[in-house]
Amino acid sequence: MLEIKDLRVSLEEEGKRILNGVDLTVEAGMVHAVMGPNGSGKSTLSYVLSGRGGYEVTGGTATLEGADILGMEPEERAAAGLFLAFQYPVEIPGVGNMSFLRTALNAQRKSRGEEEVSAAEFLKVIRAKAARLDIDADMLKRPVNVGFSGGEKKRNEILQMAVLEPKMCILDETDSGLDVDAMKLVAGGVNELRGAGRAFLVITHYQRLLDHIRPDVVHIMVDGRIVKTGGPDLAVAVEKNGYADILAEAG
Amino acid sequence: MVASAIGALSARLSGLAMPAAGWSLPARRDAALRLEGMGLPGRRDEYWRFTRPDAFNAETAPAAKVLESDEAPLFSGIDRLRVVFVDGVFDADQSDPLDMAGLEIDLLADVADRDSHWAEGVYGILEARGQDPVARPHAALNTAHAVDGVLIRATGKAAKPVAIHHYRSSETADAVLHHVVRVEAGADVTVLETGPAAARFNKVMEVDVADGGAFHHVRGQGRDHERRAATHIFARLGEASTFKSCTVTMNGIMTRNECVIELTGGGAAAHVAGAALGDGDFHHDDTVFVIHGAERCESRQVFKKVLRNGAVGVFQGKILVKDGAQKTDGYQISQSLLLDGDSQFLAKPELEIYADDVRCSHGSTTGAIDEDALFYLRSRGVGKSEAQDLLVLSFLADVIDEIEDERLAGDIVGRLETWLSRRRG
């Protein structure tokens, strides 16, 4: 599904190197987790994959189902099936949550040559999906993320994911700012979307999210590179011992 | 006045007349005298530093192409009483009968020769009050020489809005209209205005709201690119009355919208808002004075401008709180969104407060499209230009929120979307 090879990235303005050769392959149907200390480049990886400006790719490749995504505009990556659940979802006053989501869905469908979804049809779909995430009609009507609590913003991200049905979902620290109940709700939403045709890259600081979204593979990122890869046990070990052992091992 | 200024004023007044008699004559003569005293505005006048008055002062109206458009007029879908002017001349064929329960409506030209009229207590009176502390010569000129206008007296709750459509057909028409609205105690009326009006348009609207009355005003200024307009609203608010005015301007080579609101009764509320979108040769000036003269009044000024390709936006806004106007709640925000590096926003926000127990705040910002928000929208699959348009609408949302009626707000948003989509690259 997602294949990253020797990806090297610098900050455009300062020329500071952040990713120093990331190699990572996520197969369809799999959930991979990326853990790592602060400043290791986890969020940068998610931004570079989704096409945020301000970064310069100095080497390597990233492909989604064989297509080079690094040359695409952010909206083209979305239409190709990539989705980033933001760590800090942006507030957009004056733009209704539901109408924005329909605009996004239809923009993606249009660019894939598919028929647009009617307002009535869309309403049916979104209501069912929103209910499962405990998102009420009022939240759907309100402007995008405006006045939402931290938990509501994250649930709204998962709702967007559920409606847009991407193939490759990247979750950037989706657990930050969530209490246990909100995390369960969010994890439940993610787990429902797990399936053979879809893959996940879950970026997190803590193992606790991975108690609810069980990963198939866990990667440890340090200093802009994947330094260790293992099964779910690796996350447990990190939680227990911190990154010190791994850092020492990686030199 | 020096000889050149006298010459300029008499040239500007050439061709303008006054009725020979009638109830408005004293007010007109008074205005003519005041105008003679103040002269036409110049670049050195404090409130004309950012906007050139030349085209408004000139003897004749500069020619302006008439926009050919098959777009239905704004508010077409709203059940309303239509009053249509073409190039500043009343058009009976396109207008509805001037008759509605809860309202008295007359045309200024129709009733000019009467000895008395209810509008006598308002016409030129609020305009004259609004000349202090800042002179507004083109408003005095209007009072003296207005050719026509709509006189609306609300005595109850009007069943539907009165829509004044200002159409144009001539490339050189120079129109001077003077509308008067009197909202009696407890009455409620909505006045809509739309259309480019004339090559050069000088308009005054005086709004006198009695105790407990409510006045709502939504205005769209027509899209004709080369038109020029100098408009004034003068409002006086009685106790616990409400005044809400929102103007949306798309295009216009030169627009100066002045608004002077005087809160004279306790607990009154005045909201005035404006959204202006300009592309290229566009100059839009909002000059607003809100005067708190009574206790416990609330005022809101919300002005936003979206500018590109060298467009210029000006905001000059003042909250003046008089001695004794305790518990005033005044707020003013002026913001611009510059879509490129060529455009310019000039702001002069002012507070002048002579009472000691008030809450007043003002803010002014200039910025570009928020890159984080743009990326967020694009990451969901929305194309760049469409995402930009969404963020422009998001920026203008506070202004649209000032329109209470959802249908009217929806109509305005539709026009904004169309304007933006026409410019989508």
Side-chain angles (χ1 to χ4, degrees), chain A residues 136-215:
Chain A
D136 60 18
D138 179 56
M139 237 175 100
L140 290 176
K141 264 192 221 156
R142 270 150 61 189
V144 180
N145 293 325
V146 177
F148 287 22
S149 70
E152 284 174 334
K153 282 182 182 171
K154 296 299 171 74
R155 275 187 276 149
N156 200 36
E157 292 292 286
I158 304 305
L159 174 67
Q160 291 178 9
M161 192 163 86
V163 170
L164 296 172
E165 299 182 327
K167 293 171 190 158
M168 181 68 226
C169 309
I170 304 171
L171 276 61
D172 185 13
E173 308 220 7
T174 293
D175 51 335
S176 70
L178 292 189
D179 59 32
V180 178
D181 291 332
M183 190 154 60
K184 278 185 186 163
L185 211 52
V186 164
V190 171
N191 287 330
E192 274 188 26
L193 293 171
R194 289 175 79 154
R198 185 169 291 135
F200 289 83
L201 190 63
V202 180
I203 292 169
T204 181
H205 265 295
Y206 304 105
Q207 190 252 335
R208 58 174 197 168
L209 178 68
L210 304 179
D211 283 343
H212 302 285
I213 305 173
R214 292 285 295 170

Side-chain angles (χ1 to χ4, degrees), chain A residues 52 73 75 93 157 160, chain B residues 372 375-376 378 380 386 394:
Chain A
R52 188 189 186 121
E73 297 294 338
E75 57 270 28
E157 292 292 286
Q160 291 178 9
Chain B
D372 287 340
F375 173 63
Y376 186 68
R378 294 179 74 189
R380 297 302 179 250
E386 199 178 346
S394 163

Side-chain angles (χ1 to χ4, degrees), chain B residues 213-256:
Chain B
F215 173 77
H216 295 269
H217 178 231
V218 181
R219 168 168 64 165
Q221 293 179 297
R223 287 204 283 120
D224 291 36
H225 212 88
E226 296 173 359
R227 60 144 189 87
R228 292 172 168 84
T231 78
H232 292 81
I233 294 172
F234 296 97
R236 177 169 62 184
L237 302 192
E239 198 173 315
S241 66
T242 306
F243 171 99
K244 278 196 165 188
S245 173
C246 181
T247 299
V248 174
T249 311
M250 284 166 264
N251 305 347
I253 199 167
M254 175 62 72
T255 305
R256 163 94 160 194

Side-chain angles (χ1 to χ4, degrees), chain B residues 280-347:
Chain B
D281 202 356
F282 171 90
H283 185 106
H284 184 98
D285 175 331
D286 287 296
T287 294
V288 182
F289 253 69
V290 175
I291 302 148
H292 284 261
E295 291 187 359
R296 293 171 288 104
C297 292
E298 170 199 289
S299 71
R300 296 281 177 274
Q301 299 174 39
V302 182
F303 286 86
K304 304 225 181 183
K305 294 177 172 63
V306 178
L307 306 167
R308 62 202 280 177
N309 284 329
V312 177
V314 176
F315 174 80
Q316 310 185 98
K318 180 178 255 190
I319 305 173
L320 172 63
V321 182
K322 288 189 172 173
D323 188 14
Q326 303 295 15
K327 306 286 181 193
T328 284
D329 176 3
Y331 172 76
Q332 177 197 89
I333 182 85
S334 64
Q335 295 181 303
S336 76
L337 181 62
L338 305 182
L339 297 180
D340 54 41
D342 301 331
S343 302
Q344 203 182 0
F345 177 57
L346 303 153

